[in-house]
Amino acid sequence: MSSLKADFDELCEHIRRGRELGHASFEPVYYLVFPPEQILDVKRQTPAWMAKLHQEGWDIHTFSIVEQIWILLKGDPFWSLWVTEDKSAPLDWPRTNKALADILTTENGLLKRLEQALQPLEGQQNALLLVTDLEALHPFMRIGAMESQLQGKFHVPTIFLYPGVRTGKTRLKFLGFYPEDGNYRSVHVGG
């Protein structure tokens, strides 16, 4: 098993090569895949990785799934109703999860927020988007579905910090227990 440091260094090399190639059909989407039990290690390493990318000349922008989910939940007009309903049956997880998933997917809310984060970066030569906290998508959705819906909109290198297992060149198992998904069109490092 490779180390997080070695995997991140390899990821940086892929990003450098991708920037030099500039193929029109290549979308610069990268996944740093790591075992779910290393989520905390990745969170500890992320500031150092951002500093390294900055030293290499990248203008780093972050998109935290946790922060975006919270913004969508708090902004939903029915949020206070959901909270009240949850208090009446706090252990009804299927109902709670469905309510939360509905808020996140209504009008593609989370997807649109990611697209809105990408739009202003288009045309910025050294811009890079770092997407963190993917584990917060469980049990609502998986990032592969969002990536495929945004195909053609990744104009700057976008790195997803992906807790899961790589089961092939293009196949990933989110959090290590979801069924493997081979619908990714990105570069995977680690896992």
Side-chain angles (χ1 to χ4, degrees), residues 67-158:
E67 290 174 9
Q68 298 304 318
I69 286 174
W70 188 239
I71 289 167
L72 285 168
L73 295 178
K74 293 288 284 191
D76 187 272
F78 297 108
W79 175 245
S80 59
L81 177 63
W82 294 123
V83 171
T84 302
E85 286 294 314
D86 188 54
K87 286 179 184 176
S88 69
L91 299 178
D92 189 354
W93 291 110
R95 185 183 73 173
T96 299
N97 287 338
K98 182 180 178 342
L100 295 173
D102 288 347
I103 293 171
L104 299 179
T105 58
T106 297
E107 297 179 10
N108 290 320
L110 192 57
L111 177 74
K112 282 184 183 176
R113 294 198 67 82
L114 181 54
E115 183 177 2
Q116 290 167 351
L118 287 163
Q119 284 174 345
L121 304 179
E122 186 175 352
Q124 294 184 24
Q125 185 176 359
N126 294 321
L128 180 144
L129 184 64
L130 180 64
V131 183
T132 64
D133 308 316
L134 268 65
E135 62 276 4
L137 293 174
H138 169 72
F140 314 117
M141 61 182 61
R142 294 191 295 184
I143 197 66
M146 293 173 67
E147 177 193 338
S148 66
Q149 290 180 45
L150 290 173
Q151 187 175 6
K153 298 182 180 183
F154 292 99
H155 300 287
V156 300
T158 304

Side-chain angles (χ1 to χ4, degrees), residues 168-184:
K169 188 162 178 75
T170 61
R171 294 183 177 278
L172 297 174
K173 288 177 75 169
F174 183 52
L175 295 173
F177 61 81
Y178 275 91
E180 70 179 20
D181 183 357
N183 292 322
Y184 296 90

Side-chain angles (χ1 to χ4, degrees), residues 8-18 56:
F8 183 76
D9 290 344
E10 181 183 340
L11 177 74
C12 289
E13 185 58 35
H14 280 286
I15 294 169
R16 273 187 232 104
R17 277 190 265 137
E56 291 185 7

